[in-house]
Amino acid sequence: MNPVLAGVDVGGTKIQVVITTLELEVLGQSRGATPPTGGPPAVVETLCILLDQARRSAGVDGLAALGVGAPGTIDKATGVVARSPNLAGWIDPYPLGAELERRTGARVSVDNDVHAGMLGELRLGAARGLTDVLGVWFGTGVGGALVLGGELRSGPHGASGEVGHVCVHPGGRRCGCGRRGCLEAYAGRASMERRARKLVAEGRRTELFRIMERRGVDHLNSGVFARALAAGDDLAQDLIDDAVAAAGAGIASVVNAVDVEAVVIGGGLGSRLGEPFVSRVAAAMQPHLFVTGGVSVRAAGLGDLAGALGAAAAAGALVSPA
Ligand SMILES: [Zn+2]
C-alpha cells in the first residue's frame, strides 16, 4: 500500500492541510481560520478537524506520517513549539508533536514554517534541482531558510537562514525581536504597519487605513499594501521603497557570506507583490553583491501550498528516509 502523508502549515491567520502520496501528489486538502484565542489546545483541535476534512476529501483513512510547519521556536527532535509570536496565547513550550502523535496515531515531524516552505520549493517549486539556495519569506515578519549542498540547514540553534534579523542599519528602527536595525524592522508587514501608524499620528496622509477598513480587516495585510501601491499611495510607496532597500542590503550580505546560486522570495507579502517586488529586490542587491557571475533571484512557485507541501515532504522522510 502506498503510504499516505499529511502536511500542515499553521499560519497566523489560517491553517492549510494537504494529503499527499509519498511523491507529494496532492490527494486532498482543507483550509480554515487559525483560532484567535485558546492557545495551543485550540490550534490542535482545529488542526485535527481540518485533517479529518482533508482525509475525507482525499478518500483515505490511515496516515503514515504527518508533517507540521509552525511559526515560533521549534525543537525538531522533540516536536516542542514555544514562543510562537503570531499564534495567540502560544508562549510556553507545548509538545505539539507528541500531542498530534497521540491524536492521530501517525508519526509526526514538526518544523519551522519557513523551513517547511523552503522544503516545498526545493522539492516541487522554484528551487527544484538547485543545491545552494537562500529562501527569504516576506510576511508578518521576514523569515528565511538556507539550503546548502542540497540539504536544508537547521543549524546548532535551529536558526539557520534567519535573514530577517540581519542588521541593515546599526542603531536603526526597533525590530519585533527587541534589537535595532534588523531587516525585519523595515520589510516585515507588522513593522511596516507600526511605522505607518507612527507617521499618520505625526500628520502624514495615506489611504492605507481606509483601504484596510473597506476590506473589513483589522491590520494592514498584503492585499491592503498591494491595493494602496496600485492606487499610487505615497506612504505605501515609501514603506515599500525602504523595505526593498533594506532587503537588497540584507540579502546580498547573506549571499556574500554563504555563496548560493539562487535566492527564492516568497511569503504572503512577497507572493502578493510578486514579480515587480522580486525584480526590485534583485536590483537593490546588486551594489552590495561581492560575488560576480550572477545570483538568480526568483519568486517562489507554490504560493499558499509551499508550507503544507514541505511539511508533507518532511513527513515522507519519516517513513521513507532518502
Ligand atoms: Zn530582529
Side-chain angles (χ1 to χ4, degrees):
M1 194 186 78
N2 192 3
V4 173
L5 308 173
V8 182
D9 183 20
V10 180
T13 54
K14 64 182 189 311
I15 297 175
Q16 171 75 51
V17 179
V18 293
I19 304 289
T20 75
T21 63
L22 204 51
E23 294 73 36
L24 303 181
E25 184 196 343
V26 177
L27 303 172
Q29 58 172 298
S30 64
R31 177 199 288 220
T34 307
T37 57
V43 170
V44 167
E45 199 57 43
T46 302
L47 195 159
C48 288
I49 291 168
L50 290 169
L51 200 54
D52 281 343
Q53 281 175 12
R55 270 202 312 214
R56 278 200 299 278
S57 81
V60 300
D61 293 326
L63 283 180
L66 164 65
V68 181
T73 306
I74 317 278
D75 184 332
K76 275 186 77 163
T78 62
V80 170
V81 180
R83 278 184 290 125
S84 202
N86 299 327
L87 297 174
W90 198 312
I91 295 152
D92 293 335
Y94 181 82
L96 182 65
E99 181 60 18
L100 288 174
E101 280 184 355
R102 190 182 72 74
R103 299 269 301 241
T104 64
R107 300 179 67 184
V108 176
S109 85
V110 182
D111 206 345
N112 171 292
D113 55 345
V114 175
H115 286 195
M118 185 74 236
L119 201 54
E121 293 293 336
L122 189 63
R123 288 285 300 275
L124 299 170
R128 199 170 177 177
L130 302 179
T131 54
D132 299 288
V133 193
L134 174 69
V136 187
W137 262 233
F138 292 88
T140 309
V142 178
L146 187 60
V147 173
L148 292 177
E151 297 287 328
L152 184 65
R153 282 279 299 162
S154 180
H157 307 94
S160 177
E162 282 288 4
V163 63
H165 304 285
V166 164
C167 184
V168 292
H169 287 291
R173 288 183 204 159
R174 179 78 72 185
C175 181
C177 74
R179 294 168 189 81
R180 281 190 181 277
C182 298
L183 169 55
E184 181 170 303
Y186 296 84
R189 219 172 21 70
S191 298
M192 288 159 66
E193 176 165 348
R194 277 200 300 277
R195 179 78 179 163
R197 289 188 187 279
K198 179 169 182 283
L199 292 174
V200 166
E202 290 169 8
R204 184 82 187 262
R205 294 164 65 90
T206 177
E207 287 298 310
L208 275 165
F209 296 100
R210 266 188 290 277
I211 295 170
M212 177 188 89
E213 281 165 21
R214 276 205 299 273
R215 293 171 79 95
V217 292
D218 62 357
H219 64 282
L220 300 182
N221 64 21
S222 304
V224 173
F225 274 107
R227 177 62 61 87
L229 285 175
D233 185 79
D234 246 20
L235 178 55
Q237 195 60 61
D238 283 356
L239 290 169
I240 295 294
D241 288 352
D242 285 355
V244 165
I251 296 171
S253 299
V254 175
V255 169
N256 291 344
V258 296
D259 193 10
V260 291
E261 57 196 316
V263 175
V264 173
I265 292 186
L269 186 67
S271 300
R272 190 71 170 75
L273 300 181
E275 201 52 60
F277 179 71
V278 172
S279 301
R280 287 194 65 198
V281 170
M285 286 169 58
Q286 284 307 318
H288 306 290
L289 275 180
F290 178 78
V291 296
T292 53
V295 176
S296 160
V297 183
R298 52 182 82 177
L302 299 178
D304 277 353
L305 287 186
L309 284 168
L318 293 177
V319 292
S320 168

